[in-house]
Amino acid sequence: MSRVRRGVAYLQGNPVMATIYGTSFRLVQTILNTSAVELNAPNVSATAVIDGITYLYVPAELDDAIQIFTVAADGTLTAVGSVADTGGLTLNGIREVRTFEVAGTQFLVAAGYLDDGITVFSLSGSPPYLTFADRAQDTDDTDHQLDGVWNIAVAESFGNAYVVAAGYGDAGISVFQVGIDGSLTNTFNLDDSADPALRLGFPFLSDPMYFGGVPYFAAGSNTEPGLTMFRLNSDGTLSTVASYDGATDDVHPYQSAGFKSGSSFYVVSTAYFDDALYLFRFS
């Protein structure tokens, strides 16, 4: 049985000074990029709890590394180690990391868009904290859609854990099942050219949305008007369940998230180039 844990910490850009009013927020700590702490262009981060201790994993895009922190009870962070891009890893231009669990073992998957691949590490509470388990690269198989992989999601489907990866350069999506040892098995690949109704030019995946225990993903495009909804099946394949053609309305949904309100499910999408926010109802 697998259990997926979504990343909950987001660190973007360079540190800035800020004034915060009221009692809801209080600046606890500021950590800057130094020779000892790999935080050059930090990106979408993730957390995991190991032996009662919370760990934060921060991908540093321009350092080609993952910086590891422990999180104290008062929220303060302590840098305990880092993993740099070396032979066999795909951390060059690392954009995102996600943590998840398979059969009681915790893992992290990282996407390196300049290496055109993803790497899985097992997690532990002692050095080196991240231990290589497996990797997949675009060059491993001509069907892989990992060229410029810059966006990943992790979902559980019928007791199995899957990594869903979006390839910027390939304009497509690849799905991998994660074994109990962290090994990656490619289960599905989808290229934008396979169906004109798809909207996968420079794709961006939402986090999984679970309807009746089944994971769904919304995929927007940086270059095509429209939105596609996929269902992750029990065999690790994706089925297209809905497609919105935004050409008529000149709508360009891109980054999306789903939620339930009452008895209806919704997808909210931001549009970077439209300077707009779009709300869709999914049924």
Side-chain angles (χ1 to χ4, degrees):
M1 196 72 174
S2 62
R3 186 173 70 230
V4 174
R5 181 182 296 106
R6 291 178 52 195
V8 297
Y10 297 87
L11 304 176
Q12 294 286 348
N14 296 317
V16 296
M17 297 299 295
T19 301
I20 302 175
Y21 299 94
T23 58
S24 296
F25 287 98
R26 178 173 63 89
L27 181 62
V28 175
Q29 187 179 15
T30 299
I31 300 177
L32 301 176
N33 180 54
T34 67
S35 59
V37 180
E38 309 269 16
L39 288 179
N40 195 353
N43 267 309
V44 179
S45 308
T47 61
V49 178
I50 303 172
D51 297 329
I53 299 174
T54 300
Y55 290 83
L56 171 67
Y57 307 92
V58 183
E61 183 176 341
L62 297 183
D63 279 329
D64 304 326
I66 302 172
Q67 180 64 54
I68 306 161
F69 299 91
T70 55
V71 185
D74 62 358
T76 56
L77 304 177
T78 300
V80 294
S82 64
V83 175
D85 188 42
T86 58
L89 303 183
T90 61
L91 303 184
N92 191 5
I94 183 172
R95 291 294 300 264
E96 291 189 1
V97 295
R98 304 285 183 177
T99 53
F100 59 99
E101 186 176 304
V102 180
T105 300
Q106 297 193 74
F107 295 98
L108 176 146
V109 60
Y113 81 98
L114 292 179
D115 271 333
D116 303 326
I118 59 175
T119 298
V120 174
F121 301 88
S122 62
L123 305 182
S124 69
S126 59
Y129 302 103
L130 297 177
T131 300
F132 174 80
D134 200 5
R135 71 170 185 181
Q137 290 186 282
D138 194 57
T139 54
D140 293 341
D141 191 313
T142 55
D143 290 333
H144 283 178
Q145 303 293 305
L146 298 178
D147 183 12
V149 57
W150 68 332
N151 175 225
I152 50 176
V154 179
E156 179 184 337
S157 181
F158 295 89
N160 296 314
Y162 293 91
V163 175
V164 185
Y168 188 98
D170 273 328
I173 297 172
S174 285
V175 183
F176 298 85
Q177 183 177 343
V178 186
I180 59 175
D181 58 353
S183 58
L184 293 167
T185 301
N186 185 220
T187 59
F188 187 74
N189 302 286
L190 182 63
D191 188 276
D192 187 52
S193 61
D195 185 343
L198 296 175
R199 303 291 185 270
L200 297 180
F202 298 172
F204 199 96
L205 295 165
S206 71
D207 282 331
M209 298 168 277
Y210 289 90
F211 305 142
V214 178
Y216 291 74
F217 297 90
S221 169
N222 199 21
T223 60
E224 301 177 72
L227 189 70
T228 304
M229 181 71 80
F230 296 100
R231 180 182 66 242
L232 179 61
N233 302 312
S234 59
D235 60 355
T237 60
L238 293 176
S239 294
T240 304
V241 296
S243 183
Y244 167 73
D245 185 355
T248 301
D249 300 321
D250 195 27
V251 170
H252 300 77
Y254 186 37
Q255 297 181 345
S256 300
F259 62 93
K260 184 178 180 180
S261 180
S263 60
S264 297
F265 291 94
Y266 295 88
V267 175
V268 59
S269 300
T270 58
Y272 183 85
F273 294 108
D274 291 350
D275 298 326
L277 189 71
Y278 303 113
L279 181 65
F280 302 88
R281 185 171 62 189
F282 173 66
S283 60

